Each structure stands twice: as structure tokens, then as C-alpha cells.
Amino acid sequence: YLASHTQNRKGNNLCPKATQGCIAACLYTAGRGKFSNVQEARVNRANYYVENKLAFLEHMKKEILREFKKAKKKGEKTAFRLNGTSDLDFIYMLNKKLGFDIYELSEWLTFYDYTKMLPKAKRYARDARNTNYTITYSRSGEESTETIQEALSLGINVAVVFDKLPETFLGAKVVDGDKTDLEMLAYKGVILGLKAKGDAKKDTSG
């Protein structure tokens, strides 16, 4: 995980579509993210990324390939969530900067992310070669109902935070997205219902 939004030495925005609501209620503060040593590590990684992007990507590639070899040896598929508290297109950057195509690792590796960038989610949803990268669109509450319905119609899951999970939302099935972190991989075109975490529990903005 990287430090979110502009928490890095260059002030680069690592969550380009962040709203004031999601900045205030970021997952950055959830769970172990409350601890100063965890936050320091995330800031260090964010600084590494903004100050030497190519070295960062090379490091990421090396770690992915290491896990690929381990997964293949064990005969067990491994899942990666590269964006925990950032919203960057690492899949595109790895391919463009290093010629590293994660689709070629689909037998043993799968990747998943949340994003507030619908064009990004749509691009990968429409990519015929994509067999191992799932992106869930994260509702901010500021987009239109039509935007949500467009995502759902393309088979893109939409994450929505609720006080209590309903059975449906905007006519779409709601599944418990907190059941496992990999729940999004089991569905297409549903609402991933989530409960507020960290500072988001105090948010009443809607």
C-alpha cells in the first residue's frame, strides 16, 4: 500500500479522482493503518514511487515474478491487489515502461483493484485479452445514477458503503463485499456492499 492522495514529498496525487469525502474517510486509517509505523512505511513507498517510478516498477515486477514462481510450484493461484490506498494504473505502466504483460501470468496470478476512474474500469472490462484483472468501480456519491448503471451494464461491479446492506440497490443485486476481499472475483455487474471502516465510520455526508 502507498500513502493516499498527496501524502508524498512531491505532493503528487496518487488518487486522481479523489473527492473530499473519500479523502476524509480513506481506508488509509482503517485497521493497522492507524499505527504510525504502518503509515510511515506507506509514505516511504509513495516517496519511492514519485521519486523513481521506473525503479519502483522494476521492484514491483520482481516481486510479482517471485510470487508467480511460488504459486506455480505450489499449484495454488495467487491474488494481487496493487492499489490498496492509491488509484494508479500499474498494469498499464508495467506494460508500457517494462514490456511486462500480467495477462501472460493468468494461469497462476490474478489481480484486482478498486477505482474511482470509470474510464479505467471500462477499458479493462472491454479488453478481450484480459482474463486476470478485475476492477470494481467505487461509488463516491457525487456521480449520477446513469454512471453507476453504465458500469453495471458492462459487467463492472460497483462498491457502495451502507449502514445496513439492502438486497438490491438501483435495481442491482447487493452482495456482501466484506465477506472476503476476493468477493469481487465471484461476480459481475453487482453492487459490492461494504461497511464503513476507519475514519469513514464517522462520516455522515452520504
Side-chain angles (χ1 to χ4, degrees):
Y1 284 23
L2 305 182
S4 58
H5 197 229
T6 56
Q7 297 178 86
N8 56 77
R9 275 195 284 264
K10 289 193 173 184
N12 291 2
N13 189 350
L14 306 189
C15 308
K17 292 293 183 180
T19 63
Q20 288 305 308
C22 77
I23 293 168
C26 183
L27 189 64
Y28 186 73
T29 62
R32 294 177 183 270
K34 283 287 188 186
F35 298 124
S36 60
N37 62 326
V38 174
Q39 293 186 7
E40 183 180 359
R42 291 177 180 179
V43 170
N44 287 341
R45 283 192 290 271
N47 288 335
Y48 182 13
Y49 171 78
V50 300
E51 292 173 350
N52 198 337
K53 187 181 295 184
L54 191 59
F56 182 96
L57 292 171
E58 289 277 11
H59 196 145
M60 178 180 281
K61 174 185 173 182
K62 182 179 179 181
E63 292 192 0
I64 290 171
L65 288 175
R66 183 184 66 202
E67 295 304 317
F68 173 74
K69 291 176 183 176
K70 286 165 63 176
K72 187 176 181 180
K73 185 176 181 179
K74 291 181 179 179
E76 296 177 351
K77 204 159 191 173
T78 295
F80 281 85
R81 181 178 174 186
L82 300 181
N83 286 287
T85 41
S86 58
D87 195 355
L88 300 166
D89 198 342
F90 286 122
I91 305 304
Y92 172 80
M93 287 188 279
L94 286 167
N95 199 340
K96 183 174 177 61
K97 300 286 187 183
L98 304 179
F100 183 55
D101 186 354
I102 62 113
Y103 297 160
E104 295 177 358
L105 309 177
S106 61
E107 185 177 0
W108 298 110
L109 300 186
T110 190
F111 296 75
Y112 66 105
D113 272 329
Y114 290 88
T115 186
K116 276 193 163 57
M117 296 184 284
L118 185 57
K120 171 184 167 183
K122 287 165 63 176
R123 182 168 69 251
Y124 287 104
R126 290 169 170 164
D127 188 342
R129 293 186 62 241
N130 181 12
T131 57
N132 63 333
Y133 184 36
T134 301
I135 308 181
T136 292
Y137 179 67
S138 184
R139 174 182 179 262
S140 67
E142 296 184 6
E143 63 280 271
S144 66
T145 298
E146 288 74 20
T147 298
I148 302 297
Q149 291 173 332
E150 180 186 7
L152 293 169
S153 71
L154 292 170
I156 299 168
N157 296 327
V158 179
V160 182
V161 177
F162 297 99
D163 290 327
K164 184 178 180 181
L165 297 190
E167 290 187 6
T168 62
F169 181 73
L170 298 180
K173 178 181 178 180
V174 176
V175 300
D176 184 357
D178 286 324
K179 188 176 179 181
T180 75
D181 204 31
L182 299 176
E183 204 67 10
M184 71 169 74
L185 302 182
Y187 299 92
K188 285 190 175 182
V190 302
I191 300 294
L192 277 182
L194 304 171
K195 293 291 183 68
K197 300 168 185 70
D199 286 350
K201 293 177 182 178
K202 305 169 188 173
D203 180 48
T204 57
S205 69

